[in-house]
Amino acid sequence: MTTRPKLILGSTSRYRRELLERLRLPFDVVSPQVDETPLDGETPAALAMRLAAAKAAAVAALHPQAVVIGSDQVAELDGTPIGKPGTHERAVAQLRAMRGRSVVFHTAVAVQHAASGYSGAALAPVNVRFRDLADAEIEHYLRTEQPYDCAGSAKCETLGIALLAAIESDDPTALVGLPLIRTCALLREAGIDPLQP
């Protein structure tokens, strides 16, 4: 019987940590220290993939015996990336721009195990249709939820679901920030099967 390698989540996101806890695997959390500045001409999907891989690689370089998960999410409206608003005013502007529209949330996950040379990554796009929101609805939501640390200013796992007309995805946790179906597949390839004790 081989010993399961240590698992590390290379992320400071509490949402990703909470999602990974669903797999009931022991894991540590390490901040990846990665510059998240987009490259010139980089598409939102490519940005998400690059950052997920960079986060996994940064932590794997420090912990080569561990299996490391990196993840990133970039929202896209009309080809333009939408980041975390940070402030109430920016969140208002984001939700006004998205009302009545479809936004693609590109959620990428990368898994690396430096000791074995394993490196894998996957993208889980989520198409989200926002309702045609009134200004008063936007204001009430933001004052209630304060989702200023979420791409696109909305948290679908709580009151933010009321902002939406539809969510289309084949990996249901991708919108929250970590696509667990794809994560499980990559972990199995790296030698960690969540269903094996």
Side-chain angles (χ1 to χ4, degrees):
M1 180 172 139
T2 60
T3 304
R4 178 184 289 177
K6 180 178 179 179
L7 180 62
I8 297 177
L9 176 62
S11 175
T12 56
S13 165
R14 72 177 188 267
Y15 308 110
R16 290 190 182 103
R17 185 178 66 246
E18 289 167 2
L19 287 170
L20 189 56
E21 286 171 351
R22 293 183 186 184
L23 300 183
R24 301 183 181 209
L25 293 168
F27 67 93
D28 292 330
V29 176
V30 175
S31 176
Q33 305 298 317
V34 168
D35 179 3
E36 298 191 18
T37 306
L39 302 175
D40 287 342
E42 191 171 33
T43 67
L47 174 61
M49 287 291 284
R50 179 176 62 81
L51 291 179
K55 290 174 183 180
V59 175
L62 301 173
H63 302 274
Q65 298 303 316
V67 171
V68 179
I69 300 169
S71 185
D72 198 78
Q73 182 181 75
V74 180
E76 174 184 1
L77 178 63
D78 297 332
T80 302
I82 301 168
K84 299 172 185 174
T87 67
H88 181 81
E89 295 72 25
R90 288 184 58 186
V92 168
Q94 283 186 354
L95 288 174
R96 284 179 177 169
M98 295 185 298
R99 61 181 162 198
R101 313 275 309 278
S102 287
V103 177
V104 179
F105 287 77
H106 300 281
T107 307
V109 59
V111 173
Q112 293 199 11
H113 185 213
S116 70
Y118 175 79
S119 178
L123 186 67
V126 181
N127 189 50
V128 177
R129 283 188 291 130
F130 281 80
R131 291 179 39 252
D132 191 8
L133 302 164
D135 286 347
E137 290 177 300
I138 290 172
E139 189 65 26
H140 173 73
Y141 171 70
L142 292 176
R143 294 292 178 198
T144 303
E145 196 95 296
Q146 300 182 6
Y148 308 130
D149 63 343
C150 298
S153 306
K155 295 197 307 191
C156 71
E157 63 272 30
T158 51
L159 181 59
I161 200 74
L163 303 171
L164 309 179
I167 299 172
E168 299 166 5
S169 173
D170 65 356
D171 203 331
T173 59
L175 187 54
V176 182
L178 185 64
L180 287 179
I181 292 173
R182 285 167 175 79
T183 300
C184 286
L186 294 171
L187 287 175
R188 284 191 296 271
E189 290 175 5
I192 296 178
D193 187 341
L195 294 178
Q196 292 294 327

